Amino acid sequence: MMSGRREMKNLTPAMRQYMEIKGENPDAILFFRMGDFYEMFFDDAVTASRIMGIALTSRDRDREIPMCGVPYHSARSYIAKLVGEGLKVAVCEQVGDQGQAGAGGAGGGGVGGGGKGIVRRKVVRVITPGTAVEDELLEPGANNFIAAASVNSRKYGFAYMDLSTGEFLLTELASKEELTDEIRRIRPLELIVERSRQAEFSSTDPSVKKLTPLPEYDFEEGVAAGRMKAHFRTHSLDGFGCSGLPAAVSAAGALLHYIKGTQKTELAHIRKCTPYFPDDYLVLDSTTRRNLEITANLRYATKEGTLLELLDTTSTAMGARRLKSWLLHPLKDASEINRRLDAVEELVEKREAREALASLFKDVYDLERLCARVSLAMAGPRDLAALRNSLEKLPRVAEAASDLRAPMLSELSSNMDPVSEAAYAIGKAVVENPPATVRDGGVIREGFDSALDELREIGSGGKDWIARLEAGERRRTGINSLKVGYNRVFGYYIEVTRTNLQSVPPEYTRKQTLVNAERFVTGELKEWEDRILTAEEKATELEGELFSDLVETLSQYTERIRSTAAVVSTLDALISLARASERNGYAKPEVVEGTEIFIRDGRHPVVEASAAGDFVPNDLSVDGSTSQVLVITGPNMAGKSTYLRQNALIVLMAQIGCFVPAAEARIGVVDRIFTRVGASDDLSRGQSTFMVEMNETANILNNATPGSLVILDEIGRGTSTFDGLSIAWSVVEYIHDHPGLRAKTLFATHYHELTELNLTKERVKNYNMAVKEWNGEVIFLRKVVPGGSSSSYGIQVAKLAGLPDRVIERAGEILRNLEKGELTETGAPRLAAHAKGEEEIKQLSLLGAKDELRERLKTIDIERTTPIEALDLLHKLKMLLDE
């Protein structure tokens, strides 16, 4: 709180109530309901006014209590701004009528001293970045994950939930590095950790807007498991597949406990927890996801220019989230991949049926999030109308999908449950176009409840009487400007302008004086006011009760609706893949078990989409037996990096079940894709560009398998030429020779010396980016051809960039000088020499013999040597060579 704050005894009863509730929520911005406004005070007001962009005022004359406030009906947009900054917001509502509170004014645990007449209040919900469920706080096509991480002596536990959809998953990982990478893949907005480990996770991922510490007690295995079993009402978690996952259960139990605390209610829509294992999917570490720009671009970390943007033409928010999840979790099961591919193939071929489904999906709202709001009793009238309208479309969706024959599509169609009971219940109770809130009235249909209809009739009849009164009083008094009005402070009144005050009848009683008019009441008007307002108040109260009962009734259907939502989202994602495949001329890949990757006329999907038809396709043939490592040389600007990335993306697309940008493709299922591309530093952890490069390379060499695809672009460029070249050469040898590695590798480099590797390594093949030299200029052909490049053409590229001619000429001279020293005296590449290898021993022996021959020959006097001596000398020299 702010310095200079008044003593509690000097505060008003309402402010004492505020202070006690704030004391129970010290780390949250407290939205304190006062009438039609949420008010904030002290430091909360200072912080909130700055972020929300509203005026900061004060509650008292001495300006000792800063305050600001927002209207209750527009609070969501303001809360969204605070939560977007990583803050926690506690929503404190009035839960009683004026005068009911007595000494227990604040509710909850009671505040004492609330004072007679103070409205009872309590915190009904705490909103954090990871627990938002309102549309204003959510991105439609992305999940809103909150996660928890736990550590025990053996494993790292991880659990995450999207409260807005009901997803709840947990896993265990072998190392802190794997845990960190999983956090970066899931990208939770909020991360729950043990308080003692808070510092360890402070810079885990920039997506984490709020790091929330909890006591170690909440992560104890017995405590966490007990809370999980209590929530799911089970004696064991084995039925969920959680047996043998103690660290995962610890994280999940802590996460569930925390979220329940923020929602102040049971999470009825969280019906199960699902264990998962990252190795069940093609693993894409954070470096690979970033380098391939799968869901976020390198420059701005937005969706623009990504594979996701290219493939996403989904019609629903559910489908968009499903597609994104597929991109981050590519499959490894060839049979399941081919099921998706067969479904996409039929949707490509049956364009009319596909587009009919897509058109219907445009009218289907976010069933997953609507269900969550129903389960949390947070659904509004328009949520129910959207749910009804969506469910009413489902029979037509099922009909449109009924003719699809691919096994996956047929299965989805048969599982389409329209949940007609829920649609009927809403349609019977709620008007076609309801207002935003129940308090606005007019939500429940006429004829649904006789008591409500009677109260409405009284209210509307009274208003008709008011209209007749106004017309009658104008005639009786002769005051044509007379009007009958209403406001919430003074109720109903008769307003007469000052110029007509002499005509006011004596039975009028003055109620309020304005600048240009006077307001009056009569006994009859007061009697009708009481009757109208009482009826309206009762009608509003009854309408709220009827609506709450309807929401509770609908909660019994949410599990069925969520199952149908999964069907809709999957169909929508498949349709999106089919549309992208057809629009871009993609081909159905053949996905098989094995190590071969063969691609004919492959293209980079994103680059091609922006190249306006000017993209040169290229082939790829790589496997684990004959062509394991492809060393690709050529100049900058020739397309090496594009070629590397496009092949990784083609494999990725095939394994999510999408057609690929190629004329033909045969993909042996890959277990991981690794990339080491470009230059970047990590100054926050004190790591230079070269250190980051080496860390990423080490990760690949330590974790790749024969089933992996490795993309290496310019290894060793971050250090001196000799150091870098040595490391690059050694890395290729290691990948080639290590029996547990032998990953399929595309290795692009400017070190054209590496082309000599294929002389000693049988599975290393050379390719280069073809160029043509014409009149001293370099023309990039963008074509990958067999063989190594003898030059990196760096000087020619520098010339294209506009370096001064003098610099270019001098660079050419220096290059020629350097190139003279690349080979040994025997003409072999110096890089191939091995300290203990057979090649080096032979070369050293030969060099030693040559030196001795040279010295012996220097001592011979040819003019004085006889033929016999010459023959004897020749024999000795030959023996020297034989040795």
Side-chain angles (χ1 to χ4, degrees), residues 792-835:
S792 294
Y793 294 97
I795 294 176
Q796 288 86 341
V797 174
K799 183 177 180 181
L800 290 175
L803 266 66
D805 291 342
R806 185 174 176 181
V807 173
I808 298 299
E809 291 171 4
R810 178 57 181 153
E813 291 177 355
I814 296 171
L815 178 62
R816 287 189 290 274
N817 293 335
L818 290 171
E819 287 176 340
K820 290 178 182 179
E822 286 187 352
L823 301 178
T824 66
E825 289 86 343
T826 64
R830 291 188 182 277
L831 290 172
H834 197 291

Side-chain angles (χ1 to χ4, degrees), residues 3-20:
S3 59
R5 187 183 63 211
R6 290 178 175 177
E7 296 288 339
M8 283 285 285
K9 63 182 180 181
N10 294 327
L11 295 174
T12 64
M15 285 307 300
R16 287 202 300 272
Q17 185 187 54
Y18 168 86
M19 294 292 291
E20 295 193 18

